[in-house]
Amino acid sequence: SKEKLNKGRNSLSHVSLPPLCLPASQMGTNASEIQMHAFVDDVSMEIDRRKLLGSEMPSNGFYQGCFENQEQRVQSSCGSEFGQIGPRVRCSCQVLRSVGQWSAGTTKTEETSIYAAHCALISKAEHFIYIENQFFVSGFDGDDVISNRVLQALYDRILQAHKDRRCFRVIVVLPLLPGFQGGVDDAGAATVRAIMHWQYRTICRGRHSLLQRLQDAVGLEVENYVSFYALRNHGRLYEGGPLATSQIYVHSKIMIVDDRAVLLGSANINDRSLLGSRDSEVAVVVEDDEFIDSYMNCKLWKAGKFAHSLRTSLWAEHLGLHQSEMSLVCDPVCEATYKDIWMVRAQINTRIYEEIFGSIPNDFIHSRVALRQAIVKQKEKVGHTTIDLGIAPEVSQMPSDGEHNNLHISVDAIQGHLVAFPLKFMCEEDLRPAFKESEYYASAQVFH
């Protein structure tokens, strides 16, 4: 009733979301109570996928069924083909939310359309999934600590690809370290260590981790399917000053699927952003309506203009490619791109940063004791350190050792920003808060 509606509005301190492309039958409804159709009600992960995505693939080959209630044709900003502004293309968009009664005044307890969209897009991916996110904390079915099942969706899709003997790639780009105050070993950095614990628990440590589960299932073929990366940069602190490096903090929340669909917004991959009952978030799924000829695993593929241009623009920046080299990453899954360009560039950059800057995190420091020793050694070499070391001695070129002893390591060989994510960093430490730290008495949910 009108009286009830006004009462509900008056009790809210926030501004309700405006209606977006609503059916005529809903135009008189309180905007905060309107659900984002097609991706809602997926918390239990036992929804009818056919009902969610449509029983048949649309003529353009992707997720048209996701937009039957709230389809909107949009024109992106015009500009150059690659760069800060992508090409002008027609797309179908759906706005998604993570909200609840407390944050948006919805009639339902929670709306988790962002979460449902992640899982739905992953399950329907045909060739690859590219993720950039500030956090990566998720769990498998039966995990009574982490509630979101993005990890389960990724695991299931990779296993299906392995069973079908099909090429399938998942590439995840994350920050090297959580962006909170203090270094890893600082007394006041328990929050940094706690978030590291939950992310490593998700990625590679213990029975709840993706890489451990996959290794048990597919053995050494794991890296053919999924790999983790970060971004780093370098330069002089001031004119004539020391050469330094630091991470490029990944704050984006984006997922690109098959160069045809993009999910981007404010939501991290963790319970705080995805469950609806905690942080409130907004996102949008963009599906291309216009396509270009491209390649997928060396076969012809109709790639969406928006999704393809966004991915190749990001990859060109990460890999340090010039405009004339964009064709090198046109096919995101073939071995010439995934292994010979993407993985090799990450390995080369990582090795140079470690040998010249002694930067952390890295795969050679497994404990806090080892970290302290590395800091002392670096301080003796350069006279001072930063939180993540990262200061080069005056001689920025040195002969390498090992199997590549004929190669000289130089900062000039660094190309782009891509580095490998250090999976073994602090692997001998329990990074959860100790009883003497105040974070120990906070709920673990604060950190995931």
Side-chain angles (χ1 to χ4, degrees), residues 57-64 92 260 287-289 291 302:
M57 294 300 290
S59 59
N60 65 6
F62 222 61
Y63 310 107
Q64 195 70 32
S92 299
R260 288 182 175 174
E287 178 197 22
D288 276 288
D289 290 335
F291 300 88
K302 290 292 186 181

Side-chain angles (χ1 to χ4, degrees), residues 343-406:
M343 295 183 75
V344 167
R345 175 46 53 193
Q347 292 165 1
I348 292 174
N349 287 350
T350 301
R351 183 163 171 256
I352 295 173
Y353 277 120
E354 289 171 352
E355 294 204 20
I356 291 183
F357 295 93
S359 53
I360 65 167
N362 62 55
D363 281 326
F364 305 103
I365 297 176
H366 298 168
S367 66
R368 295 175 74 171
V369 171
L371 176 60
R372 292 163 191 161
Q373 292 173 344
I375 292 174
V376 171
K377 182 178 179 180
Q378 189 72 0
K379 188 171 184 179
E380 291 175 352
K381 184 184 297 186
V382 300
H384 53 83
T385 65
T386 61
I387 288 177
D388 66 346
L389 305 185
I391 301 295
E394 286 303 314
V395 179
S396 60
Q397 185 172 351
M398 60 193 73
S400 66
D401 50 16
E403 58 180 319
H404 301 291
N405 54 17
N406 61 335

Side-chain angles (χ1 to χ4, degrees), residues 127 158 162 165-170 218-227 333 335 338-339 343:
H127 297 281
I158 292 171
H162 179 71
R165 306 309 300 171
R166 294 189 53 155
C167 179
F168 188 80
R169 317 287 195 193
V170 177
V218 307
L220 298 178
E221 294 184 62
V222 172
E223 71 171 13
N224 290 332
Y225 296 107
V226 60
S227 49
V333 302
E335 292 207 359
Y338 178 68
K339 292 187 175 180
M343 295 183 75

